[in-house]
Amino acid sequence: MTAALTIHQQMIMARRVTNLKPETISAYLGSLRGGSAWDKFPKAADHIDVIERDGEAELYRLGIPAELRAGARLETRCGGPKWHRADWVSYGVIAHWKRTDTDWILVSAERRKLGGGRDKGWLTVTPEQNAFRFNHAAIEAYAIRARFSGDRDD
């Protein structure tokens, strides 16, 4: 993933960076920016937007209840300036997050050249979450069919 973390990065990571503390995420992501100007580099708010859209919203869309959401993983890719015509060559941050019972925790992050387009997130659910998702859908489908055909669905 990333090269060895600096002492500063290790101290930030030890504080359990979460989406409830955007200033701490900004400090960590800022420590990765290298020579890029801060205003041309993704802020914590960009990653929080992707978490809410492609992490939390996706878990909700998949029908996974809140009590089963822990363990899911999310990769956020936030690029450079949105206004820049050639943002396909801009640097950005790829961050990896893990879902706990109540929040998302930053696991690692790295600076990389990214392609253009909107900021993206890739959600990976656990095998148990996936099994629940499909079983839950099958149970609902059977219950609907049973009600229409007059069978008992208990």
Side-chain angles (χ1 to χ4, degrees):
M1 277 254 197
T2 58
L5 296 176
T6 65
I7 296 295
H8 175 62
Q9 291 169 339
Q10 290 176 35
M11 288 171 61
I12 294 170
M13 290 290 282
R15 290 188 205 143
R16 283 180 49 123
V17 182
T18 71
N19 65 339
L20 299 177
K21 298 176 185 169
E23 65 281 354
T24 315
I25 299 173
S26 287
Y28 179 79
L29 299 179
S31 71
L32 295 170
R33 75 180 189 271
S36 297
W38 175 254
D39 61 351
K40 293 185 177 183
F41 208 68
K43 313 281 192 302
D46 297 333
H47 292 268
I48 291 172
D49 286 344
V50 177
I51 287 169
E52 289 173 352
R53 183 187 70 229
D54 299 338
E56 282 303 294
E58 187 67 8
L59 284 169
Y60 178 78
R61 189 187 70 75
L62 293 175
I64 299 171
E67 58 271 16
L68 290 180
R69 291 183 187 170
R73 300 213 169 238
L74 179 70
E75 179 182 291
T76 59
R77 291 172 171 246
C78 293
K82 306 297 180 270
W83 52 266
H84 198 272
R85 182 181 167 112
D87 93 342
W88 59 273
V89 296
S90 66
Y91 278 89
V93 170
I94 297 176
H96 298 272
W97 306 82
K98 181 180 175 190
R99 181 71 157 78
T100 64
D101 290 332
T102 58
D103 209 349
W104 290 91
I105 294 178
L106 181 64
V107 176
S108 67
E110 62 179 312
R111 180 174 178 267
R112 196 189 294 170
K113 271 190 178 177
L114 297 177
R118 75 183 194 127
D119 293 337
K120 299 181 182 80
W122 282 277
L123 179 72
T124 305
V125 295
T126 65
E128 295 78 17
Q129 289 167 341
N130 222 15
F132 172 84
R133 187 178 147 217
F134 290 114
N135 289 347
H136 186 67
I139 290 167
E140 280 186 353
Y142 172 75
I144 290 168
R145 181 193 155 282
R147 279 194 290 277
F148 279 116
S149 64
D151 296 338
R152 289 168 21 120
D153 58 348
D154 53 352

